[in-house]
Amino acid sequence: QVQLVQSGAEVKKPGASVKVSCKASGYTFTSYGISWVRQAPGQGLEWMGWISAYNGNTNYAQKLQGRVTMTTDTSTSTAYMELRSLRSDDTAVYYCARDANTALDYWGQGTLVTVSS
Amino acid sequence: QSVLTQPPSVSAAPGQKVTISCSGSSSNIGNNYVSWYQQLPGTAPKLLIYDNNKRPSGIPDRFSGSKSGTSATLGITGLQTGDEADYYCGTWDSSLSAGHVFGTGTKVTVL
């Protein structure tokens, strides 16, 4: 069965960086892209960007351009999302999801990133 | 900053039906497929409907989706207490800042 397992919770200071991992299993990793979505406390879903697991092409949300980098390691079927220059409003649960183009069909369990001094 | 508008909340008694609307524009819903996601408290979102009206394996036919023009609707019949959750619509937006977009979210309460 398809599973996406994310790394554990992180606490970071403002200005620092965080890198969240997402290990996929149960399907051919390079056949789908991975999207990253975040959810601030009590708020809705915000799409952050997408990476092709086939060739590494990326498409980032305009709001995060310059601060976010998404990568994949096909040898371990793992996707990564790094966010730099963290601010308090980056505090959120970060999700990876398998991107089937017209929908995000499987989601990771989420990783809480807390930014606090 | 969601570009898709949903009602904040809907409610009904067990066994009844609810509908949730999702309003967008020609750059998103009008020219792209719509999906719907259920988020139970404290859990990750789960895909309920894709390609406007298709259900993934394991999703009961109590859940249905439709789309007309620049709006979409999720219907839930035979409401159960386990359906209490937040529901989000989603689609692709083809504007300058192209990417997936989500609705504002709707809280379903079973009375």
Side-chain angles (χ1 to χ4, degrees):
Chain A
Q1 72 284 19
V2 174
Q3 276 194 305
L4 298 173
V5 179
Q6 300 182 221
S7 49
E10 304 261 15
V11 179
K12 296 292 183 180
K13 294 194 183 303
S17 299
V18 68
K19 191 169 186 177
V20 179
S21 68
C22 169
K23 184 170 176 59
S25 61
Y27 72 98
T28 301
F29 183 64
T30 51
S31 294
Y32 294 84
I34 294 286
S35 270
W36 288 88
V37 176
R38 69 179 180 178
Q39 186 171 37
Q43 302 301 307
L45 304 174
E46 178 187 13
W47 181 78
M48 300 177 66
W50 164 91
I51 182 167
S52 165
Y54 174 71
N55 58 16
N57 286 350
T58 55
N59 176 21
Y60 300 139
Q62 197 168 41
K63 172 183 178 181
L64 296 172
Q65 289 269 5
R67 285 208 301 142
V68 67
T69 301
M70 296 176 187
T71 56
T72 59
D73 181 345
T74 56
S75 69
T76 60
S77 299
T78 303
Y80 299 90
M81 184 285 300
E82 181 180 33
L83 188 61
R84 300 176 293 279
S85 302
L86 289 168
R87 309 186 289 244
S88 58
D89 62 355
D90 291 317
T91 293
V93 176
Y94 289 75
Y95 295 102
C96 63
R98 192 176 81 164
D99 195 319
N101 294 326
T102 57
L104 306 181
D105 60 357
Y106 290 91
W107 295 62
Q109 83 276 19
T111 297
L112 175 62
V113 175
T114 303
V115 182
S116 173
S117 54
Chain B
Q1 66 247 26
S2 300
V3 298
L4 306 179
T5 302
Q6 299 178 230
S9 64
V10 298
S11 60
Q16 297 300 301
K17 174 181 178 178
V18 294
T19 59
I20 300 170
S21 60
C22 175
S23 177
S25 68
S26 59
S27 68
N28 42 68
I29 291 178
N31 284 286
N32 294 286
Y33 286 113
V34 176
S35 51
W36 289 91
Y37 304 88
Q38 177 193 60
Q39 188 175 31
L40 296 168
T43 70
K46 173 184 174 182
L47 179 64
L48 276 185
I49 298 287
Y50 68 99
D51 290 359
N52 302 332
N53 55 18
K54 296 181 173 66
R55 281 175 289 105
S57 172
I59 301 300
D61 59 7
R62 300 188 299 106
F63 296 91
S64 64
S66 64
K67 174 185 138 175
S68 178
T70 58
S71 293
T73 301
L74 174 71
I76 310 173
T77 59
L79 204 59
Q80 301 176 0
T81 55
D83 296 333
E84 276 209 350
D86 293 321
Y87 293 81
Y88 295 90
C89 57
T91 189
W92 184 263
D93 191 289
S94 311
S95 64
L96 283 175
S97 52
H100 285 286
V101 289
F102 294 101
T104 48
T106 298
K107 169 69 176 176
V108 169
T109 300
V110 181
L111 301 172

